[in-house]
Amino acid sequence: MTAVTDRRYSSGIIIRARTVVTADRPPIENGAIAVFGNQIVDAGNFDEIKARHIGEVFDLGEQALLPGLINAHCHLDYTRLRGKIPPQKSFSDWIHAINTEKAQLSPHDYIASINQGFAEAKRFGTTTIANLTAFPKLIPQIHAPIRTWWFAELIDVRAPESANELADSALEALDQTENWGLAPHALFTASENLYCRCEEIAHRENILLTTHLAESREEMQMFHDAAGPLYEFLRHIGRPMDDCGNKTPLELFLDSIGSGGSPNRSRAIGINRPYLSWIVAHLNELTESDFELLERSNSKFHVVHCPRSHNYFGHSPFAFDRLRSFGFNICLGTDSLASNESLSLFAEMRAFQKEFPSVSAEEIFQMVTVNPARALRQEKELGKICRGAHADLLAVCSTGGDLFEEIIAFRGEPWIMIAGQVQ
Ligand SMILES: [Zn+2]
């Protein structure tokens, strides 16, 4: 007689759902996944998974199991500013308004703000966040309940001589955190030296970079025409304005900073730029010559669109179709609650769908899953359900209608698992 051996793999748990939404392959009806520790070890039809794995079965019933959502651009520092700043006449008026609000916040308030933001983002099904903070030194006092890429937001507009020092101290504050990057704020608040120092550090430390670019009409007016309220405000506080009156923000970025930039400068600082890929927030204000540049550009950076913040400011329409056709990886973000009302990526998907009704719900879903995972260089581990991915998951009600439309329409608090732990 031969001994009967069980050829099934021992696994922590099997999670079954009406549909498993893999995000990069077709959804699996009556699907299941096997989770071992903090990882997904298998995904497929429930019967196949049961045949291959031993483990307690956790049946989610009539729900769709999804990869956790990824917010590609956020500032949790300002969670407490929700509802404090009504839409302003101009972008510079908004900067004045937020600066007035910020002046009233203490480090304690910022910590509370960040913690509140984390709790809210998680409640709405965000399991990974790219969060810019102006206070990297506060990070050790915060316990992030979701996977976080901390970006130090850097501004040297009032002290450009301290660009290197600023970037180096951010590096010191962040290099103990697991996932981090640098965020020179924007071309109008961060000097070229600061951008270059951040690129040097990114190259050396293999970290990510993000920035705000071509967000408002006033930014375009400032750089292209050397005029307008933003130009006047920054000139007034002593910013050298010699980069204004000629180029568009995108031209300036590509010429001297972003991937594919000036070969001389790249050689001078020893950086092979195409290896540095920026996550660029906004990109709302582009001229026809900018579009030509983007079409020709070899290095396609990642672009984050923040639909509700975009509506709040009344920016020019986001050129989704053209940017997508040029091969840019487009992600969604919430931006901060100083220009948005909640940290829900479901609401962000709905706002995007309203703006671009011809884009399929499935493609919109990818902008909060596989696309931002790629921007964070985590395409194997995050944003999808497959063997080897982190067990960061959500479940939302599914009635058997159009799956992705149902996902986007979801309102409420989903079932959540992060790193294999039910929340
Ligand atoms: Zn932002």
Side-chain angles (χ1 to χ4, degrees):
M1 268 182 71
T2 43
V4 178
T5 50
D6 194 330
R7 294 175 152 271
R8 294 180 299 171
Y9 299 101
S10 176
S11 138
I13 49 169
I14 293 171
I15 304 172
R16 186 247 159 223
R18 175 186 192 127
T19 312
V20 171
V21 181
T22 60
D24 69 337
R25 286 171 299 138
I28 307 163
E29 292 304 319
N30 188 28
I33 62 167
V35 172
F36 189 77
N38 56 11
Q39 253 194 358
I40 298 168
V41 292
D42 204 355
N45 176 274
F46 182 42
D47 295 332
E48 292 165 10
I49 297 296
K50 263 192 314 188
R52 291 201 289 262
H53 298 271
I54 300 167
E56 189 191 340
V57 175
F58 190 72
D59 193 341
L60 289 165
E62 299 302 289
Q63 299 204 71
L65 184 66
L66 325 174
L69 308 185
I70 305 171
N71 187 343
H73 183 82
C74 188
H75 307 251
L76 296 180
D77 292 353
Y78 310 127
T79 306
R80 282 200 158 184
L81 301 189
R82 176 180 2 229
K84 290 263 165 72
I85 309 174
Q88 304 287 304
K89 272 210 255 10
S90 74
F91 189 65
S92 346
D93 287 348
W94 182 82
I95 293 175
H96 286 298
I98 192 171
N99 283 344
T100 308
E101 293 292 338
K102 278 158 69 176
Q104 297 169 39
L105 298 179
S106 66
H108 178 79
D109 294 329
Y110 280 116
I111 291 171
S113 202
I114 294 168
N115 285 333
Q116 276 172 19
F118 271 131
E120 176 169 329
K122 181 174 143 185
R123 210 168 57 239
F124 285 125
T126 299
T127 57
T128 296
I129 198 163
N131 183 48
L132 284 70
T133 179
F135 310 100
K137 291 203 167 105
L138 298 180
I139 296 172
Q141 297 178 59
I142 293 160
H143 170 70
I146 59 177
R147 230 172 270 280
T148 304
W149 264 257
W150 290 102
F151 288 91
E153 184 173 69
L154 305 174
I155 291 178
D156 67 343
V157 68
R158 290 175 197 268
E161 68 286 350
S162 61
N164 289 357
E165 209 180 301
L166 187 64
D168 295 350
S169 72
L171 163 70
E172 216 172 285
L174 285 164
D175 73 354
Q176 296 304 314
T177 56
E178 202 180 332
N179 305 306
W180 62 280
L182 296 174
H185 172 255
L187 289 176
F188 54 89
T189 47
S191 65
E192 188 182 337
N193 284 341
L194 180 55
Y195 272 93
C196 288
R197 186 67 161 195
C198 289
E199 285 200 325
E200 283 174 49
I201 294 172
H203 182 68
R204 199 175 67 222
E205 307 285 333
N206 194 26
I207 50 121
L208 300 172
L209 293 166
T210 190
T211 193
H212 299 84
L213 184 67
E215 180 175 4
S216 66
R217 289 183 189 88
E218 284 171 55
E219 182 182 343
M220 174 64 85
Q221 205 185 3
M222 164 177 161
F223 286 112
H224 194 257
D225 308 325
L230 191 61
Y231 177 86
E232 291 305 333
F233 164 55
L234 291 164
R235 191 176 59 87
H236 180 72
I237 65 167
R239 181 191 186 277
M241 305 305 274
D242 46 358
D243 52 355
C244 300
N246 189 13
K247 293 179 176 175
T248 67
L250 180 81
E251 278 176 304
L252 274 169
F253 181 73
L254 290 180
D255 275 3
S256 55
I257 298 155
S259 302
S262 148
N264 290 339
R265 176 97 202 190
S266 305
R267 269 197 295 275
I269 59 174
I271 291 179
N272 190 356
R273 284 177 192 273
Y275 291 110
L276 294 175
S277 68
W278 283 84
I279 301 171
V280 169
H282 308 311
L283 217 63
N284 300 318
E285 302 296 328
L286 298 167
T287 62
E288 271 313 306
S289 62
D290 283 339
F291 282 112
E292 285 165 25
L293 271 178
L294 288 169
E295 190 169 13
R296 286 202 310 269
S297 168
N298 294 326
S299 311
K300 307 288 184 190
F301 44 75
H302 311 279
V303 178
V304 189
H305 177 50
C306 302
R308 289 183 298 162
S309 176
H310 187 280
N311 292 342
Y312 167 96
F313 284 112
H315 296 312
S316 298
F318 178 64
F320 174 75
D321 293 322
R322 292 179 88 176
L323 292 170
R324 178 182 53 175
S325 73
F326 298 161
F328 286 87
N329 176 36
I330 301 171
C331 313
L332 298 184
T334 57
D335 220 340
S336 83
L337 294 192
S339 59
N340 199 351
E341 53 198 30
S342 80
L343 296 170
S344 165
L345 285 170
F346 287 99
E348 229 53 71
M349 287 192 277
R350 285 191 287 276
F352 183 90
Q353 191 175 44
K354 210 168 161 195
E355 205 182 336
F356 300 98
S358 64
V359 179
S360 75
E362 183 171 1
E363 187 172 358
I364 299 172
F365 181 64
Q366 289 179 339
M367 288 190 260
V368 294
T369 51
V370 286
N371 296 7
R374 211 176 116 205
L376 296 173
R377 299 188 198 147
Q378 300 291 308
E379 49 270 83
K380 292 202 176 112
E381 291 87 9
L382 292 175
K384 59 185 178 184
I385 292 180
C386 66
R387 192 151 70 111
H390 293 303
D392 292 2
L393 304 159
L394 310 182
V396 301
C397 294
S398 169
T399 63
D402 183 309
L403 178 65
F404 290 99
E405 290 292 346
E406 275 194 343
I407 293 170
I408 288 185
F410 178 78
R411 286 165 203 270
E413 297 181 13
W415 174 89
I416 301 176
M417 170 177 272
I418 297 176
Q421 302 292 315
V422 178
Q423 302 293 302

